Amino acid sequence: MSAHKVIGTYLIETYLPLEHAAEAIAGEQSTGTFTAIARETPELRQRFAAEVVSIEELPPTANPDLPGSTRPAPTALRPADGPRAGELSVVKRSGLVRIAFGLDNFGPSLPNLLAAVAGNLFELRQLAGIRLLDLDLPAPFAERYPGPQYGVRGTRELLDRPDGVLLGTIVKPSIGLPPEELRLVVRELAEAGIDFIKDDELMGNPPHSPLADRVAVVTEELDKIAARTGRRPMYAFNITDDLDRMAANHDLVQAAGGTCVMVCVNLVGFTALAWLRERCALPIHGHRAMTGVYTRAPQLGIDYVVWSKLARLAGADHLHTNGLSNKFYETDEEVLRSITAVRTPLLGGYETLPVLSSGQTPGLAPETYRRTNTTDLLVLAGGGIHGHPSGPAAGVTALRAAWSAATSNTDLDKAATQVPALREALDKFGGNRA
Amino acid sequence: MSAHKVIGTYLIETYLPLEHAAEAIAGEQSTGTFTAIARETPELRQRFAAEVVSIEELPPTANPDLPGSTRPAPTALRPADGPRAGELSVVKRSGLVRIAFGLDNFGPSLPNLLAAVAGNLFELRQLAGIRLLDLDLPAPFAERYPGPQYGVRGTRELLDRPDGVLLGTIVKPSIGLPPEELRLVVRELAEAGIDFIKDDELMGNPPHSPLADRVAVVTEELDKIAARTGRRPMYAFNITDDLDRMAANHDLVQAAGGTCVMVCVNLVGFTALAWLRERCALPIHGHRAMTGVYTRAPQLGIDYVVWSKLARLAGADHLHTNGLSNKFYETDEEVLRSITAVRTPLLGGYETLPVLSSGQTPGLAPETYRRTNTTDLLVLAGGGIHGHPSGPAAGVTALRAAWSAATSNTDLDKAATQVPALREALDKFGGNRA
């Protein structure tokens, strides 16, 4: 028996005493059933049961109750400082609960880890709210999962960009662009000096624009650019598909000299990502489509902090975090927390590059730099480049100029006097948000 | 171009006019970005854009709002019959929205399907609530995914039980039982005539009870029973793990003469399940651990109806539905809806066996039979068998007698006069719930 533990940190909300609710999680996720049973000895419980490490009561939240949650008669759970007997109000308690799971129960295996720390617990009646906020993972996970093969440094090396924010875009329209038009888009973007281009997550391997055709025209264009300028932008081909096809897609990209593949992490699953990592020669650009189903309901789910740890273990070299002032639901504070999560060392490593996207425009550069305090970012502008009044090349120029100004502490409007494309972008998409 | 469409049915809630919110989904999930862009021609939109097929306004729900949802100034969206200008209340509208996605945009691929019908839409600000309720899938999915290899009929054939409810149990304690004790449990259950035994979802391949050891002792015991009685219960070994290991686990079970493998569908993902199905010789028992994260928040998520379709396409022969009066959050009505979902033909087939579990006891047999009106069920009792006052064998006898009574329209208390084990079970776990 090793003494390795996984510690899960949960936000729980409950009408039961916090201690009872925490024990319900520990019990369901280790030895328990609903009734006492033969062969479940105290010794066995002692050795295998999950353990409540700490409970910290929090101020009440405004979170809605999950359906089906137990609400005992109020007098049965009257807290010392709560309502008196005869008062009918029931107090919902909120707490941060830390639970230790013995690693020997499941081993360093991502799917079996999830059985323990998530499993059935979202369904427990004892809980009116349950979110898995964090996971502390022990060293054996690092031994089992190699994680990002390229990460920040490897991506910079491939791009020959040892410093500075990396700038990228998404091919738009998301879907429907014929390969020969894609060629023109890639040429224009590459000539304008973009670092990174990616397929949209909606563009996999459809009949009207097969991956093989896209790979052929894109790598041909990038070869030409590289020969002429010495710089080869990275193109992340969306290889997301059923697994044998995903592996074949990877091989196709690699054989053509492509330098990046994109995988929608949730759509294939962490386990499939780890499987791909074992047979992958290229950086894996991890798209987060469908993460909202885990994160958006405040009373339920799995926090991005946990999600990103699992994706990094599984091998994501790049990971989408959203960007400031994005078009989706997250606040800037949530986005910054996600960027920090991806940049925080995990088990001493797992150096993954945060990818900021959604509604990104040149005007956001100063605030993004000020609040992240790093240039180890891949900033993607889709509409912010393709929607530039003077076209995508001007969009790249504007974004590059804005980031150059931001990191050298130059006012954007001042920088724009030298760069008309930046002036146009600020006028169209909004000015400096510092 | 084929004309095949996928139709997604969503419950949406929004402070915008329903039409605008529906268009936001269709736009995000097909051609859109936040600004008009070069090369997005009307022809391209016409050919590739998702299309709002219908919008049915529903009565207001009591669902909480998702965070970050747009609430325009009330006067801007005043409906004809809504609050007047100057009144500050804002009407949240609820609607059933059906959206058609051209299959040619993504092809019959489970992960790429999810990009289209789920993708980023849970994150849209335009929505204060969004649940994917159903998916209508066109025939090419049936051509690509073979689905259940055994299903109801194949499972019955392997068990030589052409009719009647199939009865099973979960090894308890969930975790910690040494293989030699597992041997005794299996022996006792098999001798009592159980049809099916499964590992707990928390029991994968831990060092204290390696899968190889469990397979060895269990198959040895089942071989002995089969030689003696002519009946061999099915044992579902939990092979959930990283994919290469999962495949090796399957091979281990198959080589030893095992007749079933269990996979936690969410913990490996639909894509990994479909991958396993391609190389699997045995029935796949699909566990639903972690489904609650998709289903429990009323304002967000993916309904079990959709979840079960995807799992059946991916190859699940058995699929957990929960049971009546279960210990988790779902109501009986929700459980019955899930059982119906699994039993409803999908693309003309995909005959998967519903697995009822959680808090199942003999007293529930009459109501379960009355409300499902079928015996094509696998009913699992964990505590309801292992917690029987006279031990697991008596637990099996009691459950069998209860189902025999239920399907022959015999009163349980009357049946219990002939079967003391049933009397004991009714006294301990609760009587007839008809």
Side-chain angles (χ1 to χ4, degrees), chain A residues 9-79:
Chain A
T9 302
Y10 301 88
L11 169 66
I12 67 169
E13 312 208 54
T14 180
Y15 290 89
L16 296 168
L18 285 172
E19 296 72 19
H20 296 195
E23 287 297 342
I25 295 176
E28 173 65 26
Q29 297 306 97
S30 54
T31 61
T33 181
F34 70 96
T35 181
I37 53 175
R39 296 194 172 84
E40 182 162 307
T41 61
E43 293 71 28
L44 183 145
R45 271 187 180 274
Q46 171 70 25
R47 181 169 162 197
F48 294 101
E51 187 195 346
V52 179
V53 176
S54 67
I55 299 174
E56 178 192 341
E57 186 158 356
L58 298 175
T61 69
N63 291 344
D65 287 5
L66 288 171
S69 51
T70 307
R71 298 182 176 210
T75 50
L77 77 164
R78 186 168 68 85

Side-chain angles (χ1 to χ4, degrees), chain B residues 296-322:
Chain B
R296 192 170 178 189
Q299 80 277 33
L300 185 75
I302 298 176
D303 196 87
Y304 185 90
V305 167
V306 174
W307 185 87
S308 59
K309 283 186 178 180
L310 301 176
R312 289 161 72 196
L313 276 173
D317 293 284
H318 310 158
L319 213 47
H320 281 238
T321 58
N322 238 327

Side-chain angles (χ1 to χ4, degrees), chain B residues 106-118:
Chain B
F106 47 86
S109 156
L110 286 178
N112 298 109
L113 166 71
L114 284 173
V117 301

Side-chain angles (χ1 to χ4, degrees), chain A residues 331-351:
Chain A
T331 63
D332 288 350
E333 288 63 35
E334 289 170 308
V335 170
L336 289 164
R337 220 164 54 85
S338 295
I339 295 169
T340 299
V342 172
R343 288 176 38 78
T344 302
L346 169 62
L347 291 163
Y350 295 86
E351 189 195 58

